[in-house]
Amino acid sequence: MNALIFAAGLGTRLKPLTDNMPKALVRIEDKPLLQILIEKLIGIGVKEIVINVHHFASQIVEFVEANNSFGIDIKFSDETDMLLETGGGLKKAASLFSDDSPFLVHNVDILNDADLLSLYNRSGHTTMLVSERKTQRYLLFDDNNKLVGWTNISTGEVRSPYPDLDVSRCHRYAFSGVQVFNRELLPYMESWTGKFSIIDFYLSVCDKVDIFGYCDRDLHLLDVGKVDSLAQAVCFQREYANK
């Protein structure tokens, strides 16, 4: 089982902490976010991890090497020349895995109590972990939980490859930053170059290949994106880390 950790972001919302370190190394009590996630992935049987790096990339590499790669195979997808966003970052990192199996993709700054092993094993298709969390931007799914579009409810904007999509009949869910990517989608990425969003890519191909959403209605999730969320993160880990 393989996993990709998105850790290349600038962490601007975590300033001033990220003035001198990457957000992946921001600590929640005694452990950096990156270590929390790596240990969680190892706990569900992940044997190979790719971490994309950009902001203070060398610090992440040195941290992993100082911990002997936590006893597994860890590689780095170097984006120091250009931050590739989620789609471009995934495309570049995909070539670094040693086999062609689907891989779990997880943002480094997302804490959650999801059953990641069940998510990985539930389908042979690309599957996004979604929730009923309130937001302004929702992914849209049909009755079979297949992705069909996206909407911003504050502006009324709708994006979909289906011109006659009836948004009122769709299920609206928020993306969690966690997904399982099936490599069957890679050929569709060939014309996509440089930096691009994985959501933009999914919306362009969801009428050609099945992309599913899995809604975990019991999901607890915290985006550790701002300095004032760090105290919440401590409480979150104490309550849900061992669930």
Side-chain angles (χ1 to χ4, degrees):
M1 184 174 173
N2 303 329
L4 167 62
I5 297 177
F6 282 140
L10 299 175
T12 53
R13 294 180 300 159
L14 281 169
K15 283 180 172 290
L17 295 176
T18 50
D19 287 340
N20 299 297
M21 71 169 70
K23 66 180 177 181
L25 297 186
V26 171
R27 289 181 174 268
I28 307 302
E29 292 192 295
D30 62 334
K31 291 184 181 180
L33 286 165
L34 181 60
Q35 182 176 351
I36 291 170
L37 180 52
I38 289 173
E39 290 178 348
K40 181 174 183 177
L41 295 175
I42 291 173
I44 63 169
V46 170
K47 303 297 185 183
E48 184 176 357
I49 292 175
V50 173
I51 305 171
N52 76 337
V53 292
H54 173 82
H55 185 57
F56 292 113
S58 62
Q59 291 188 29
I60 294 177
V61 174
E62 290 166 4
F63 173 78
V64 171
E65 290 178 348
N67 285 276
N68 298 310
S69 297
F70 297 90
I72 62 169
D73 182 9
I74 296 181
K75 301 182 181 74
F76 301 95
S77 183
D78 189 351
E79 297 181 22
T80 51
D81 289 341
M82 181 173 67
L83 193 59
L84 295 174
E85 298 187 15
T86 50
L90 186 152
K91 181 181 179 181
K92 180 174 183 177
S95 64
L96 298 177
F97 289 108
S98 60
D99 61 51
D100 292 333
S101 62
F103 52 90
L104 185 71
V105 185
H106 201 302
N107 291 0
V108 75
D109 54 356
I110 296 293
L111 300 177
N112 64 78
D113 64 348
D115 185 342
L116 298 180
L117 184 57
S118 292
L119 174 69
Y120 185 86
N121 290 331
R122 67 175 286 99
S123 171
H125 299 285
T126 293
T127 303
M128 292 181 284
L129 179 65
V130 295
S131 73
E132 295 176 323
R133 173 175 57 87
K134 301 301 181 184
T135 183
Q136 297 297 310
R137 297 177 293 275
Y138 288 97
L139 295 169
L140 302 173
F141 298 88
D142 65 14
D143 288 340
N144 295 314
N145 289 326
K146 182 177 178 292
L147 180 68
V148 292
W150 172 96
T151 187
N152 184 326
I153 61 172
S154 65
T155 65
E157 180 185 1
V158 175
R159 296 170 55 198
S160 172
Y162 299 98
D164 300 320
L165 183 69
D166 185 349
V167 176
S168 67
R169 296 176 62 87
C170 296
H171 302 275
R172 302 187 314 192
Y173 297 122
F175 183 42
S176 69
V178 181
Q179 59 195 296
V180 176
F181 183 84
N182 191 300
R183 302 175 75 95
E184 67 179 356
L185 270 67
L186 286 175
Y188 294 94
M189 273 188 178
E190 288 182 2
S191 62
W192 291 68
T193 59
K195 61 180 181 180
F196 61 92
S197 160
I198 193 64
I199 298 300
D200 289 346
F201 168 73
Y202 286 162
L203 291 172
S204 76
V205 299
C206 64
D207 59 337
K208 304 176 185 69
V209 62
D210 290 339
I211 300 170
F212 289 95
Y214 171 64
C215 182
D216 182 349
R217 289 179 169 81
D218 296 320
L219 178 68
H220 298 94
L221 181 145
L222 179 66
D223 179 353
V224 189
K226 299 180 180 179
V227 173
D228 59 10
S229 66
L230 296 178
Q232 293 175 269
V234 171
C235 296
F236 188 99
Q237 282 298 97
R238 290 176 179 177
E239 184 169 0
Y240 299 116
N242 297 316
K243 182 178 175 182

